[in-house]
Amino acid sequence: MEEDVETRKISSSFLRDHSYATEADIISTVEFNHTGELLATGDKGGRVVIFQREQESKNQPHRRGEYNVYSTFQSHEPEFDYLKSLEIEEKINKIRWLPQQNAAYFLLSTNDKTVKLWKVSERDKRPEGYNLKDEDGRLRDPSMITMLRVPVLRPMDLMVEATPRRVFANAHTYHINSISVNSDYETYMSADDLRINLWNFEITNQSFNIVDIKPANMEELTEVITAAEFHPHHCNTFVYSSSKGTIRLCDMRTSALCDRHAKFFEEPEDPSNRSFFSEIISSISDVKFSHSGRYIMTRDYLTVKVWDLNMENRPIETYQVHDYLRSKLCSLYENDCIFDKFECVWNGSDSVIMTGSYNNFFRMFDRNTKRDVTLEASRENSKPRAILKPRKVCVGGKRRKDEISVDSLDFSKKILHTAWHPSENIIAVAATNNLYIFQDKVN
C-alpha cells in the first residue's frame, strides 16, 4: 500500500470454485503457515484443503509460483451427543499451524467440541523385499523361505499423507470459537463461550481451565467470550474479547485461574450514538495481536480498532469498515446478518490491516498514510493477473458510474475469513465457497 491506493494493482489467482456448491463447501477458516509456503482452508463439511506454493521457475525468477492443491483430508465427521440429544457439526471453526521442526508439517483444527492435531508428511519411497511377506503384502509360506533378504527402499510417486496424531476431546460444554498456539510451542489454548482451557500437546486426556466466566446462576449471564489469543512472544500472556465489546489481558503468572485480568480495554460509549442495536454491534468478533506484540486489533460489526497494550481507556486507531450500514441495522437485524462474525488480519509488518465486508468486498487500511481501499473478490476479477479496481459505495444522492448503491449490496455474499502471508504482500480471501489469492503486481 506504499503507492497511491487508487492505482494499486493486484494480480490474482483463483483457486477453488464449485458451480454446484453445497452448504458443506462453504469455507469457514483460512490460515497461512509460518513461512507462507502453505495455506490451509477448512470448510463446513469438515474438510481441510492445503495449498502449496510452487517453487520459483528458472525462466522467470522474479515470479514466485502460484498455490496449488497439496493435500485434502477429512478432519472432522458429524457426531451426535446422545446425553444432550445434540448434533455436533463437522464444520471446521479454526486452523492453527505449528512452526515446522522437521520435514513434516503439523496443524491444529477444531470444530465446536474437539481439537485435533494433524501431521502432514510426504512419502516418495517404499520398502520392498520383506522376508515374511510378498510384494502384495500377503504372508509367505514359511516352508518356502530359504534365505534372508535385506529390505530396500525404492522410489515411488510422491504421496502426501495426513494422519491425526492427537485428539483433544470432552473438555468443552459450549462451542469452541478460538484456538491459539503458545509461543513456547508446548501448550495451546481453546476457548468457548464461557471458558478457556490450556492444553499440553502431549496430554490429550486433561486440560487446565484458566478462565471461567460462567455465573453460578445462568440467568445472571451478561456476556460471553468471543475470541482469545496468546501473545506472540510472552508465553504467560493472552487476551480474550467479549460480546460486550471489552478485551481482557491476562497474565498466567499471577494466579492459576485468570478470572482477574491484568488489563481491561474498553472504549466509553458515545451517548449520542446509543440505539437498540448498540450492544449487538459492539460485540467483538475477532482479536489479534500484532506481530510485534505491542498492539491488539479488534473487529466489531462496523469498525476495526487498534489498541496499544499500554493504554486501556480507548483505542489509538479506529477504522470505519462499512459505516454506510448504520442506517440499515434494522433490516440487518431481521435477516440475522447483524450477528455475522468478521475476522481481521495484520500484514507482515503490522502497517496494513484487512477485514471483510458484504457484497464480497474486503477493506484495507494503511496505518501510516491513513489511506483505505475497498476491493472486490468476484469471478470477473478471478482471471490470473487481472487487476483489481477499487470499489466505492454511495449513500443516497447521485450515483457515479463506477459506484455501487448501498441499497443494491448483496448481503448473502460476505467475506468473513481472510489471511495475509507472513512476509509478502499475498492475501487469501474466502468468499462463500471460493478461495481467492491476490498478490501485489510483480513487474
Side-chain angles (χ1 to χ4, degrees):
M1 307 246 331
E2 287 77 21
E3 58 192 287
D4 185 44
V5 166
E6 297 303 313
T7 60
R8 177 175 172 77
K9 296 182 174 69
I10 295 185
S11 69
S12 67
S13 66
F14 180 54
L15 285 180
R16 180 174 170 178
D17 173 31
H18 307 296
S19 43
Y20 53 89
T22 63
E23 178 82 2
D25 294 317
I26 294 173
I27 299 173
S28 52
T29 182
V30 189
E31 191 77 15
F32 279 102
N33 75 339
H34 291 256
T35 61
E37 290 303 300
L38 299 181
L39 170 68
T41 66
D43 63 25
K44 284 195 170 181
R47 289 182 302 263
V48 171
V49 181
I50 300 174
F51 299 92
Q52 184 182 42
R53 198 172 182 192
E54 277 185 1
Q55 291 308 304
E56 205 169 304
S57 68
K58 290 192 175 70
N59 321 343
Q60 297 173 296
H62 301 299
R63 270 201 57 228
R64 284 300 312 269
E66 295 182 349
Y67 284 83
N68 292 318
V69 175
Y70 176 63
S71 173
T72 305
F73 59 92
Q74 188 71 29
S75 174
H76 287 70
E77 302 279 357
E79 293 172 58
F80 193 79
D81 184 334
Y82 292 97
L83 288 174
K84 299 195 178 104
S85 291
L86 277 178
E87 279 185 53
I88 301 169
E89 280 188 356
E90 65 273 40
K91 174 190 164 211
I92 309 289
N93 292 343
K94 284 282 184 292
I95 289 172
R96 289 287 177 266
W97 290 91
L98 275 68
Q100 194 177 356
Q101 309 285 356
N102 51 29
Y105 302 99
F106 288 87
L107 61 88
L108 287 172
S109 65
T110 183
N111 67 350
D112 285 341
K113 299 287 180 188
T114 305
V115 184
K116 293 184 181 181
L117 174 68
W118 289 89
K119 177 185 180 182
V120 181
S121 53
E122 294 183 358
R123 217 173 63 190
D124 59 356
K125 291 185 176 65
R126 69 161 183 267
E128 280 181 11
Y130 288 104
N131 288 293
L132 302 178
K133 294 178 182 171
D134 62 19
E135 302 313 328
D136 298 328
R138 288 188 297 265
L139 282 172
R140 294 167 66 192
D141 179 0
S143 62
M144 302 295 289
I145 301 173
T146 55
M147 53 181 281
L148 205 59
R149 294 197 288 181
V150 178
V152 290
L153 288 171
R154 296 247 187 268
M156 58 176 264
D157 289 341
L158 180 70
M159 248 176 71
V160 181
E161 295 177 317
T163 46
R165 297 306 300 268
R166 306 267 189 284
V167 177
F168 306 89
N170 308 321
H172 285 277
T173 312
Y174 308 98
H175 291 177
I176 298 172
N177 55 46
S178 303
I179 46 177
S180 179
V181 178
N182 201 347
S183 57
D184 61 11
Y185 305 132
E186 290 179 13
T187 55
Y188 77 91
M189 68 177 170
S190 55
D192 66 25
D193 296 337
L194 298 179
R195 295 191 181 102
I196 300 176
N197 292 333
L198 182 71
W199 299 84
N200 186 300
F201 278 111
E202 300 302 320
I203 303 166
T204 59
N205 58 355
Q206 61 183 26
S207 62
F208 195 80
N209 180 226
I210 51 174
V211 172
D212 187 350
I213 63 164
K214 185 181 178 185
N217 177 6
M218 280 296 268
E219 287 178 6
E220 293 165 11
L221 182 70
T222 57
E223 64 181 330
V224 294
I225 298 166
T226 54
E229 191 178 59
F230 269 119
H231 190 282
H233 314 303
H234 305 311
C235 60
N236 53 284
T237 310
F238 67 94
V239 292
Y240 68 92
S241 58
S242 87
S243 56
K244 273 193 162 176
T246 61
I247 309 112
R248 290 172 177 84
L249 179 94
C250 300
D251 187 337
M252 292 192 287
R253 294 172 302 188
T254 52
S255 68
L257 194 61
C258 301
D259 286 355
R260 303 252 285 280
H261 46 266
K263 292 191 174 185
F264 182 76
F265 300 85
E266 183 177 29
E267 184 172 28
E269 193 192 9
D270 180 359
S272 62
N273 278 343
R274 179 112 191 110
S275 75
F276 169 74
F277 304 108
S278 293
E279 243 168 68
I280 304 173
I281 62 171
S282 67
S283 173
I284 292 173
S285 54
D286 196 16
V287 61
K288 292 265 171 55
F289 271 105
S290 62
H291 295 83
S292 67
R294 170 73 189 265
Y295 305 102
I296 41 179
M297 164 169 60
T298 58
R299 170 74 210 256
D300 56 42
Y301 191 65
L302 293 177
T303 66
V304 173
K305 293 174 178 154
V306 176
W307 304 76
D308 189 317
L309 284 192
N310 301 325
M311 190 164 93
E312 298 168 59
N313 60 342
R314 61 190 168 83
I316 54 167
E317 297 160 27
T318 301
Y319 300 99
Q320 300 295 336
V321 178
H322 37 216
D323 204 46
Y324 46 78
L325 296 183
R326 217 174 266 280
S327 59
K328 296 250 174 286
L329 292 177
C330 205
S331 53
L332 289 163
Y333 178 75
E334 283 164 10
N335 66 13
D336 277 352
C337 282
I338 202 166
F339 301 107
D340 285 334
K341 292 177 169 53
F342 291 95
E343 294 170 8
C344 51
V345 289
W346 302 87
N347 73 338
S349 60
D350 299 333
S351 60
V352 184
I353 53 187
M354 171 173 65
T355 190
S357 179
Y358 293 103
N359 209 66
N360 279 359
F361 288 169
F362 58 98
R363 304 268 286 136
M364 286 182 173
F365 303 95
D366 188 315
R367 297 179 59 210
N368 300 325
T369 63
K370 298 296 181 241
R371 289 206 188 101
D372 64 282
V373 65
T374 304
L375 300 168
E376 182 183 9
S378 70
R379 272 158 204 261
E380 291 73 62
N381 306 337
S382 66
K383 299 174 187 71
R385 281 164 290 288
I387 291 170
L388 286 186
K389 293 187 181 69
R391 304 300 305 262
K392 283 200 167 60
V393 177
C394 82
V395 188
K398 276 191 176 169
R399 184 165 70 87
R400 293 207 193 110
K401 183 168 68 76
D402 55 346
E403 290 183 337
I404 180 166
S405 160
V406 68
D407 296 317
S408 56
L409 293 174
D410 186 343
F411 292 107
S412 66
K413 292 180 176 172
K414 54 192 89 165
I415 289 177
L416 303 175
H417 315 287
T418 58
W420 203 307
H421 189 289
S423 56
E424 295 181 44
N425 268 342
I426 298 175
I427 57 172
V429 175
T432 323
N433 61 306
N434 297 323
L435 177 70
Y436 297 84
I437 291 190
F438 302 109
Q439 76 176 81
D440 252 344
K441 192 173 192 306
V442 183
N443 295 325

